[in-house]
Amino acid sequence: MSPVTRYALTFPGTPGTQAPQDVVVVARTSATGPGGHPVYEDASGIVRAEISAAGEVRMLATGGHQSPHCPVHAEPLP
């Protein structure tokens, strides 16, 4: 089976509001994360995540004061 090249990451909306969930599409990079799995990022390079073959997601900070939220779902894309 070939590796997944893109995922749609779904993040919860703002707590206490009726805001919709945010969906960000990330693409595989040549980098490997701290857990040894591929790193994926969005087109802006701001959202970065290490995603295992089992779909486990570890968000990676891209800035000094960033505390990234974990997505509620990672969906492989064709």
Side-chain angles (χ1 to χ4, degrees):
M1 184 171 163
S2 63
V4 177
T5 58
R6 297 184 318 140
Y7 279 93
L9 302 179
T10 304
F11 296 87
T14 305
T17 69
Q18 296 298 320
Q21 294 179 327
D22 292 320
V23 177
V24 178
V25 174
V26 292
R28 187 175 177 149
T29 68
S30 60
T32 301
H37 304 289
V39 172
Y40 295 77
E41 69 181 21
D42 73 336
S44 72
I46 294 172
V47 177
R48 288 178 53 94
E50 176 183 12
I51 305 176
S52 74
E56 299 163 317
V57 180
R58 177 190 306 197
M59 296 304 297
L60 305 172
T62 58
H65 297 286
Q66 191 179 35
S67 58
H69 297 283
C70 288
V72 294
H73 186 68
E75 179 72 28
L77 297 174

